[in-house]
Amino acid sequence: MERLKLVMIGNGMAGVRTLEELLKLAPGLYDITVFGAEPRPNYNRILLSPVLAGEQGFEDIILNDLDWYAKNGVRLQLGRKVVKIDRQARRVVADDGSQAPYDRLLIATGSSPFILPIPGNRLEGVIGYRDMADARMMMDTARTHRHAVVIGGGLLGLEAANGLKLRGMQTSVVHIGEWLLDRQLDRSAAALLQASLQARGLNLLLGRQTAELLDNGAGRVRAVKLADGQEIPADLVVMAAGIRPNIELAQSAGLACNRGIVVDDTLQTYDPRIYAIGECAAHRGVAYGLVAPLYEQARVCANHLAQLGFARYPGSVTATRLKVTGIELFSAGDFMGAPGTESITLRDPLNGIYKKLVIEDDLLVGACLYGDTADSAWYLRLIHEKRHIGELRDALMFGELATRSQSAHSQPHEPTRQCA
């Protein structure tokens, strides 16, 4: 029997994880073709920052080498960007003119850095931070130039700033928000992080807006001009002010898009032959940018591509576990604390530890941890399972082990409670 044809557009972490799951479930069902715009196999984008910081090499972050594709019979088309989806003929067309027919199509085109629409954003030395090429350019620039400015105080921005600082550049971070990592940390945890980063020599400019990038007269950036008129020297500007789902290809093919390619609980688009997954997909109005939700999507999508058809993706409880300049951070759920919730906090400034748990109706609904994330997986499980915490409440702040032994009363730091 002739095998079905599966084409995947994109060669990133979410898409290839889907293929891995599919090959476990139905190894002989499809002839698989993968188009990757980059000239390299699948790699771990999360580990670009350790590469930038000099802790790992590019070769260390490859997830699936060329042998993996060959061994699994996957036809890999590297350095080829798909420019057209012909839904009527059921085929895709790449920028070099090559084509591939499909019975099922998986769109995993990911996202792109948001480049601020300001004067000078096309100058030499202005880049996003998304792939190996960006990281390599940053490393090369650090060898020959002195001043770097990162626009955006989120995770990617801080990792880029840390890496550039470690490579000898004088580095500033411009962030429009009131505190760093304002989507992952509350104000108290962010204040601890800010003090730590400033002690490492980073120049942090919070609550500031970038107005213009200035030219050195030869087509290269020389400074960042803020809305208040201040100028910051910059030989390199890294845009880390958010991402935008890559949906143009899907839109041109007539697929419904809203904050991403619209998919249902099976990751199927409005065209039943076409699925979408990862940062380019919007499920119930949400486009996820973290790895854990994308891998959950991959399992469900693979289940349906394998024609098993029983898995559903209901959405994810967003959780973030980070390591910024050696500092462990974690947040999950409603860690800010909505009206009607109660917050329990523990502060240990001497050891650089801050913990905040948010409770509503005897359920743990959010957590924010700084400096000690040993119990993060347990807290996430409590949030996800919606387990009543009545009998655990007094020891909850001190972790899973303490709740088992009921020895929380011997802990030296007493948590404080407050209502939101």
Side-chain angles (χ1 to χ4, degrees):
M1 182 181 296
E2 185 178 354
R3 296 199 290 187
L4 297 170
K5 295 178 176 61
L6 171 65
V7 172
M8 186 170 80
I9 305 173
N11 188 38
M13 296 172 68
V16 177
R17 174 58 69 93
T18 307
L19 295 186
E20 291 175 339
E21 298 286 345
L22 174 61
L23 289 167
K24 293 176 188 175
L25 296 172
L29 184 59
Y30 291 99
D31 285 327
I32 303 173
T33 300
V34 175
F35 286 87
E38 292 187 64
R40 53 186 62 85
N42 178 40
Y43 61 90
N44 190 337
R45 294 182 190 276
I46 298 171
L47 296 180
L48 283 173
S49 294
V51 171
L52 178 62
E55 299 167 359
Q56 291 184 279
F58 283 113
E59 65 283 354
D60 298 323
I61 68 172
I62 298 295
L63 291 173
N64 303 82
D65 59 20
L66 295 176
D67 288 343
W68 180 87
Y69 294 87
K71 184 175 69 174
N72 287 283
V74 177
R75 181 170 170 250
L76 181 60
Q77 306 284 2
L78 289 178
R80 299 185 188 181
K81 181 179 180 179
V82 172
V83 294
K84 182 181 180 181
I85 299 171
D86 186 337
R87 291 168 57 196
Q88 186 171 2
R90 298 207 302 272
R91 66 181 178 183
V92 301
V93 182
D95 52 4
D96 66 346
S98 59
Q99 301 182 14
Y102 68 83
D103 296 296
R104 297 290 183 273
L105 177 65
L106 176 57
I107 304 176
T109 47
S111 63
S112 297
F114 174 64
I115 304 300
L116 294 178
I118 56 175
N121 64 2
R122 296 185 179 274
L123 290 171
E124 183 183 357
V126 179
I127 63 170
Y129 183 23
R130 190 62 188 159
D131 56 28
M132 278 193 183
D134 296 328
R136 191 177 296 279
M137 180 180 177
M138 292 160 70
M139 293 161 63
D140 292 342
T141 304
R143 297 189 187 100
T144 56
H145 295 77
R146 292 188 57 200
H147 299 282
V149 173
V150 177
I151 300 175
L155 174 61
L156 278 180
L158 295 183
E159 289 183 333
N162 180 57
L164 292 168
K165 179 66 179 176
L166 290 174
R167 289 188 175 270
M169 299 194 80
Q170 296 180 21
T171 307
S172 300
V173 177
V174 177
H175 185 50
I176 196 170
E178 295 181 28
W179 66 85
L180 299 171
L181 291 177
D182 44 14
R183 294 186 179 181
Q184 290 86 17
L185 298 178
D186 67 8
R187 188 186 293 269
S188 297
L192 293 171
L193 177 61
Q194 179 179 343
S196 177
L197 296 179
Q198 288 173 328
R200 286 164 167 77
L202 289 179
N203 179 32
L204 304 175
L205 300 123
L206 305 182
R208 311 289 287 278
Q209 186 171 356
T210 305
E212 184 180 359
L213 306 181
L214 304 179
D215 194 330
N216 69 351
R220 186 179 186 91
V221 66
R222 68 167 178 84
V224 172
K225 185 176 182 179
L226 303 182
D228 61 10
Q230 181 181 355
E231 294 184 12
I232 309 166
D235 307 301
L236 173 69
V237 174
V238 180
M239 296 274 191
I243 58 175
R244 294 293 182 269
N246 293 326
I247 61 175
E248 295 80 10
L249 182 65
Q251 286 178 317
S252 67
L255 295 174
C257 295
N258 181 15
R259 296 183 181 178
I261 304 167
V262 176
V263 296
D264 62 16
D265 289 358
T266 70
L267 286 306
Q268 192 178 63
T269 69
Y270 281 91
D271 183 328
R273 295 181 180 271
I274 302 178
Y275 295 76
I277 190 173
E279 292 176 330
C280 68
H283 172 264
R284 300 187 186 181
V286 179
Y288 294 92
L290 300 172
V291 171
L294 305 190
Y295 281 1
E296 291 173 10
Q297 292 179 1
R299 287 192 293 273
V300 173
C301 188
N303 181 277
H304 288 272
L305 287 172
Q307 300 182 348
L308 300 177
F310 58 80
R312 290 292 183 273
Y313 177 68
S316 298
V317 175
T318 56
T320 308
R321 185 166 184 171
L322 316 172
K323 192 170 185 178
V324 180
T325 65
I327 302 165
E328 298 281 351
L329 314 170
F330 171 82
S331 64
D334 177 22
F335 63 87
M336 293 297 292
T341 62
E342 177 188 357
S343 297
I344 304 175
T345 60
L346 182 150
R347 302 172 192 266
D348 182 359
L350 186 63
N351 293 305
I353 293 174
Y354 169 80
K355 298 183 180 181
K356 174 182 175 183
L357 302 178
V358 181
I359 298 170
E360 182 177 23
D361 297 332
D362 201 37
L363 301 175
L364 182 66
V365 296
C368 181
L369 312 178
Y370 178 96
D372 178 5
T373 61
D375 287 293
S376 58
W378 182 61
Y379 289 136
L380 181 60
R381 194 162 65 248
L382 289 177
I383 295 171
H384 187 74
E385 294 175 355
K386 298 183 178 180
R387 175 182 168 187
H388 285 274
I389 60 166
E391 74 280 7
L392 309 174
R393 189 181 183 94
D394 289 342
L396 190 66
M397 177 60 72
F398 306 110
E400 184 176 15
L401 187 60
T403 60
R404 288 178 177 175
S405 63
Q406 292 297 306
S407 61
H409 297 295
S410 65
Q411 296 290 338
H413 305 290
E414 289 298 325
T416 60
R417 290 177 171 83
Q418 63 186 44
C419 293

